[in-house]
Structures are given as structure tokens and as C-alpha cells.
Amino acid sequence: MHLLLVILFFLEARFCVQTSDSNSPAGDNLATNGLPFPWSKVRLPNYIVPVHYHLLIHPNLTTLRFNGSVKIEIDVKNNTNWVVLHSKNLKIFTATVLDEHEAHLSDKVLSVLEYPSHEQIAIFSPKILTSGEKYFLHLEFGAPLSDGFYGFYKSTYKTKAGETRVLASTHFEPTSARMALPCFDEPIFKANYTVRIRRGPSHIALSNMPLEQTVEIGNGLFEDQFEVSVKMSSYLLAFIVCDFRSVSGMTATGINISIYAVPEKWHQTHYALEAALRLMEFYEQYFNILYPLPKLDLIAIPDFQSGAMENWGLTTYMETSLLYDPDISSASDKLWVTMVIGHELAHQWFGNLVTMEWWNDIWLNEGFARYMEFVSLEAVYPELKVEDHFLDTCFGAIGRDSLNSSRPISSLAENPTQIKEMFDTVSYDKGACILHMLRNFLTSEGFQTGIIRYLRRFRYSNARNEDLWDSLIKTCSEEDFTAGEYCYSSTQATKNAYRFAGEHIDLKKMMYTWTIQKGIPLITVKRQGRKLYIGQERFLKIVLPDDPSWHSLQKGYLWHIPLTYKTSHSDHEMKHILTTKSDVLTLDEEVDWVKLNSDMNGYYIVHYDEEGWNALTELLRVNHTALSFKDRASLIHNTFQLVTAGRLSLNRALDLIGYLKSETHNVPLLQGLGYLQSFYKLIDKRNIADVTHNLKTYILQYFRDVIDKQSWSDDGMVSDRRLREEVLSLACDFDYPPCLEKAKQLYNSWVESNGTISLPTDVSETVYMVGAQDDSGWAFLLEKYGVSMCETEKSKFLSALASSKDSEKLSRLLQLGMDGTLIKTQNVPSLIYMVARNPVGHFLAWDFVKKHWNELVEKFPLGSFGIRNIIVGTVTQFSSTEELREVEDFFKSITEQVSQLRVIQVATENVEKNIMWLSRNLETMRTWLQQRLN
């Protein structure tokens, strides 16, 4: 009878549901009980809006379950009988709908329909919910604490005494708040949250807001009640129950900042506190908007998949991203911690205060936060030389963007798997690079003023791609505009226009060319006398212009590119905007050379004609400091990218880096050395003995002076220390005798002290790698891995263990990772990559992934950072057609599971790139090396 009543109620209420928003009739989707589910879209209907959540949550750290209740104040926009919201893996015990006086609308038990494929539930109200009225939805629920890294999940750590302790923590971004409570789990549904957490006496509870009061409720339980939150999206809600210790400080504006960690790692929290205090004060001044919460907690979670998460007022971190031990952590480790803190604090404004409307524009969060890492550190920690790393960010973006498998910055993403994949190089790194180009175009002041306007206009609300461009346009007078002000003119002739190098630019139209089409432009340059003939096309690594598909892949691509250039006869940067496929620039006078993309402030590759490359190669040889270190590094990068694309000969690129013997700056030096090392690793995996031997010999001979002058210490500036770390690692990896001798000496001393002496932090990983090559050294490192209380140190141990040339040891490591006891599950993706990059381990790692695929997907959901790193880390090591076929066959065998994954195409296209590189360049490399070595 009850079932028939529900069906009847459904049929009567059906016309109250906004089915016009659906893709198909509501009845096509069946709930788990066989009844029609009243909503067919992945995204929720917009006619019920949450206003305020009153949440009570009680995790039991013994049974590893949690129970909770939530009372959601809702605003009804259209008459309806149904409330549809998100829930995943939750058992809903009871559901009731209350009126504005919190009286029950029905004395009947309300039905809850579940539709797991969309992670939705629907509650039926026998009484119509009337538009404009206020109601409350009350739900009681429970579930096991999640075993993974999403939702409300369990984490564990071991004390020095070997005791395992349990905590419970949340990670909701992008679509996992629904795993911890029934909610409207989309970024547009901003609401206030009042949180209460029950816990035992030996634990503390943390949430987004400060603790208001603690009430003892009996049975040894306490209830912590927190202040009402600001209006925010569901993915930013956070709560944690743990037994951590903290260190705290206060900003100049009265914000209380605390760093939490496992009690025995408390001494590693002090640098993070200093950095967070300084960076918070910087952001408040830069954005000219005070941080709106009374406190900000930063907490290091022992089990965490991504680097960190920006939950408003309670940011969570992987331990290696927050904790810093000056006796163990290197200069690179310190930079990493500072950058991650800078990233998460930037999110408190970009992402939290102003949130993208939907996940297709996640770059508005992540691209800004990535870019603000560099802006903030350059201002607050100039000694860390963060600008040395920004080029690598853009180079990484170009690596992805020059493949056909790339995507536009703003891309369609509907279901959770697609949404997870949006958190990638394109959103983070390309987003940061086009923002840098924009800042250089607008000037630093114009850019800052515009983003302050954006933040003020959309605070506590949501924004889209175009809202940013509109905010960057300032209304000004025609006189200001004519004078070169970066502003919006209301006159029809210059509407939506900026002035750049005397030209009127439509800013919104310009930026759309960078955000709604994929790829990166290639600028071609031919100089004849005083004229520069410039063209643009889409840069593709795999397809050449003579390929039949090239023209179709180029069709429709056009960017509005703010070009900058320098010449031999100008000491200042010149500018031009390219909005057509080709253009001609006339120089003031004849010049010896021209270099486009000054300091690589623009996001594009440049290809010169033969005369242009000859002139720049000669300039580097005779007077390389005529160009900035960024220009030198970008020339090296561009040449080898063009080699990979088949547009430039390998000989020319190798000749261009011939000047590196005279190079003193670490950025171009490491850029050139990095390419040679990558070629070596590619060829070594193909077992091409003569070229491998000759390339190693050439690198060690050519860079011997740089290697020999490195000290085995932590002396010098950050840039010196980074160079030392990279160069000595390469030298020992290449079996350079003086390097091996020194590393073995340091390793033996460390072992004799039972690991108690401090090695120089910048070279410790290299020392461990050399020590790991024999049985006793490997066993000692594994033992120390098990007892170390510093995750940064453990990551270096693990990297060294994975460098062993013994395949049985590598197999043992992989199995330990799957067991998840000695090696935590969170480290499995990086471990698989470490083994895969080892020439002995790359087939081993791939076979392991194929064998354990289903287990890996259980631990790391499709689309997640983890599974993407596993796929890319193993597949991109391959470089033969046979290997490519095997990879394709494997993914075809699980097509139903991975059909939505963009990363499969990214990985296979990288294999194709490797195959083409070898076919185009192997013989050239062999001949070039023979000539140089003879």
C-alpha cells in the first residue's frame, strides 16, 4: 500500500518538477528501489537553494564509522513536491521536511529515492513546497569512514614507540562533500554552515570556524560547537578529529594562524607558521581585502593524496607540503613548502571568497592560485628566487598543450570523473602562464587593480570566465585612453578596447582566444632588411606541415598575441599585437639579431628563419649576457621543442647550447642539461648502447667543470644549491668516479653513525641513491624508512630505494606499496613513477599496473591525481611501436571503464612523440656525438 501511495504521489507531483530542465523525461531513470527517479540530469535542479546547514557529526575512531544529522534551511524558487540533492555511500536513516516554524509537513515517514549513478537522492513531500516559502530539510545518516582520500576518511600514523593512532579528516573538492553529508554539492550553492562535532576526551575537533563552546554530553563524549561560517560552497567545508599539537601566531590584522601536526612532528611546524603569517599579511595588502575569518588553521594530514586543500579557515596538507625540518629538508624542500602555503592562502580569495560558477572554469581558482605563488614569494621571500622556477611552469604547460590531446582552459566537465580531470596542467600551469602574460600586457598595477575589482564585485558569490575580463576593464575618459591608459572607453569607436603599443585591443576577445581554444601558438619570424615577416600557426609536436591532417588540425585557430621583442640595437622592449595569421613589422634600423617573446612573458613558441637562428646562436657564443637568463633559457627550450616537432634539426639545437660552457646562471644551464639528460634516458631505455655511451661521455666531458666545482655542502644562495642538487645527482647517476667516491664516503659515514649524523641536505638524496646500489645499503635504507619521523626524509629514502638495479627489490617495493603498511597508500603513484623511470623498472612498473589495475582504481578513483600520475608515469616511458600497441590494447580491454579519461590520450600521444623523436633524431645524434668525441 505504501509503495502504491508513493507512486501515486509521484504521478500527481510530476508536473511540479521542472522537467523542462531535464535532458530526458524524468521517468526514464529508475531509483535503486525500482521507482522512477524525478530528475534526469547530472547537475541538480536550480529551483531549491540551500541557505544554511546545521550539521552534527560524530566519528567513532574505534568502529571507524560516523553518524550525523543535518538540518538544511532551503529556499524554494518553484512549486515542487521533490527535493533532489547529493548523497554518496551514505545510509539515510530518516528524512523529514519542516516548515519555517520547524513543524513537520507530514506525519508520514518520507520516502528517500536513491540514484547512485548520479550520486543523488530525492525526498518526496506529500505537501507541495511553495515558491517563496522557507523550509527545512532534516536528515539523519551514517556511513563507514572512507578508506580512500575523499569524503570523511580515516587516516593513521605511528608514534616513535610503534603505536598506531587514528584520526578522521575530510577532503571534499571537487565532488565529495556528498560522501560526508547529504548536501547540494555544487559550487553555485553557497550557504552558511553551523557545525557541531562529537569526540572523545583525548581528541580535539577542528572545523572552518573558531570553536564557540564545548559541552560535555555524557558517556565520556564532548560536543564542540563552532561559530557560524561565512557563505561558502560545499567543497570548502571541513572538519577533523585528531590528537595533534599546534603552534600559533597572530597577524598584524588580528588573524590567528595555527599549524597542526602529529605530536612528535610538532618541531617541524615552525617554518610554516612564519611563512603563513608573512604571506597572509602580503595577500591582505595586495588584494586590499581583509581575510574575512577570525582564524586560519594549516594542518598536516598523514594520509593525503594531493599537495594541499584550501578549505576556508582549515587548510589541509600532505606532510611534505607543510612540515620543514632544517636538519633534513633541502633548499628545494623549503621552496616547495613556501609555494604550497602561498598557493592555499591565495585560494582564500581566489576560490573561497570568489568561486567559479561551475567546474569548467576551475582555472579561475587554480590558475590564479598557481600564479599568486610566484607573485607572493617574489615579494615576501626574494631570497628563494622563485622567478627561476616560473619558466619551468610554462615549459610544463607547453609540453601538454602542444599535443592534440590537450584541451581548452575552459572546458566542458559534467560528471565527477570529468571534473577531477580538470585539475591538471592546463588549469594550473597554463592558467598561471596566461595570467602572467596578461599582467605583463596590462602592467603590474593595472592587473592588480583589475583583480581587486573582480574580487570586490563577486565576493561571497560565483564568477565565470568573462566576469574576470569585464572586471579588468576600467572606465576612463577618451583623453586617458589616448594617453595610453589601460582602460575601457565608452565611445563606440574604442568600446571594449585597451591601448597596447598604440593599438586598440578588445581585451575580452583577446583573452577568449587563450581560454576557449586549446593549444599554443607558434610564431614564425623571417627578417629581410628592416622588415620582420611574422606568422602564427598552432604548434603541434607530432604532426608536420606535410602531413595530410595538418591543415585540418590548424583550421580555425587564431590567437590575439601580445608580442614583445628586442633587437641588437634597442635596450628596451618593443611591443606589437598580432591578431591575424600574418603581419609585417618595420624596424627603425637594420639590426644584427632580433629576439621575440622578451623574458618569455608571452605564452608562445618562436621559430626563426635560418639567418635568425644563426644570429642568435652566434650571439650566445660571443656575448650571451646580451640576453637575459630567461631569454637564454627560453631559446634553449624553444629549439628543442621545435626539434621534437620536426621543425628544426637536432644539430642546430645542439650547436646553440654549445655556449653553455660559459653559462653561469642555473636556469639556462639546467635547461640545456635537462634536455641532454632526457635524451639519454630515452635512448638508454631502447638499449642503444653506442649512442647511450657516447652521450654520457659527452655530457660528463662537457660539463665536467660545472660538476667538479660543486661542493658537498649546503653553502651558497638558493640558486647555487639547486644547481648543486641537480648536477651532482646527474654525475653520480652517470657513474662519474669522483662523484661516486664522495657519495659512498658520505653514505658509509652515515651508516656507521646509524643514521644519526646530518648529511648536507641538498645532496642527501644523491648520497642515498649511491648507497642503495648494494644489498646492505638498500636494506639499511629500508629499515630507516620504517622508523623515520620526517616525510621529506622518507620521500628521499623511497626515491633511492627505487633507483636499485635489482628488479626483485623493485618488485618488493611495489608490493609494499600495495600492502599500505610500511609504505603508505598515498605514496603508491609516486613510487610506481619512481620505479618506471628506472631503466630496470619501466616494464616491471607497467606490468604491475596492468596486474593490479582494479585494486589501484579502488584506491585512486578514475580522474584523480593518483590514477593520472600512475598512467602517465608508466606509459610515457615507452618509445616503440610494439610498446604503443601493447598500451593501446590494454586500455581497449577496459574501454568501458576508462572511455571518459582524457589522460589515456595524453599518455599514448606522448609515446607517439617518443617514437617520432627517435625516428627523426637518433642517427643525427649518433653522428653528431661521433664528430664531437673524435
Side-chain angles (χ1 to χ4, degrees), residues 375-399:
V375 174
S376 62
L377 264 67
E378 197 169 356
V380 179
Y381 287 98
E383 70 276 12
L384 292 180
K385 298 288 185 186
V386 71
E387 65 272 16
D388 289 1
H389 296 258
F390 187 69
L391 289 183
D392 289 333
T393 299
C394 297
F395 294 160
I398 290 168

Side-chain angles (χ1 to χ4, degrees), residues 348-368:
Q348 305 305 300
W349 286 265
F350 279 99
N352 299 8
L353 186 65
V354 179
T355 311
M356 75 278 138
E357 193 171 284
W358 182 249
W359 300 106
N360 62 303
D361 279 331
I362 186 59
W363 84 276
L364 289 173
N365 287 20
E366 299 302 346
F368 259 108

Side-chain angles (χ1 to χ4, degrees), residues 530-534 563 565 575-576 583-587:
R530 289 171 49 221
K531 292 191 180 298
L532 289 180
Y533 294 88
I534 296 176
L563 298 178
Y565 58 99
K575 300 179 178 182
H576 175 70
D583 205 348
V584 181
L585 301 182
T586 302
L587 303 174

Side-chain angles (χ1 to χ4, degrees), residues 392 395 632-633 636-641 644 650 653-654 657 659-660 663 665-683 685 695 698-700 702-703 706-707 722-723 725-731 733-734 833 913-914 917 925:
D392 289 333
F395 294 160
R632 304 195 298 270
I636 293 168
H637 168 266
N638 283 197
T639 55
F640 284 111
Q641 291 293 304
T644 301
L650 180 62
L654 292 170
I657 64 168
Y659 91 96
L660 285 177
E663 182 61 78
H665 199 286
N666 68 305
V667 173
L669 192 57
L670 290 175
Q671 188 65 210
L673 196 54
Y675 273 108
L676 293 175
Q677 189 176 13
S678 68
F679 300 153
Y680 171 84
K681 289 178 178 178
L682 182 63
I683 296 166
K685 285 191 174 74
L695 183 52
Y698 172 78
I699 291 170
L700 289 175
Y702 192 77
F703 293 99
V706 177
I707 297 168
R722 182 192 175 205
L723 183 65
E725 189 176 0
E726 298 285 347
V727 165
L728 290 179
S729 174
L730 177 139
D733 188 41
F734 280 11
Y833 170 66
K913 179 195 71 178
N914 293 341
W917 193 95
M925 177 68 84

Side-chain angles (χ1 to χ4, degrees), residues 134-146:
K134 182 169 81 172
Y135 298 92
F136 293 93
L137 176 66
H138 186 270
L139 298 143
E140 294 181 357
F141 56 92
L145 289 169
S146 170

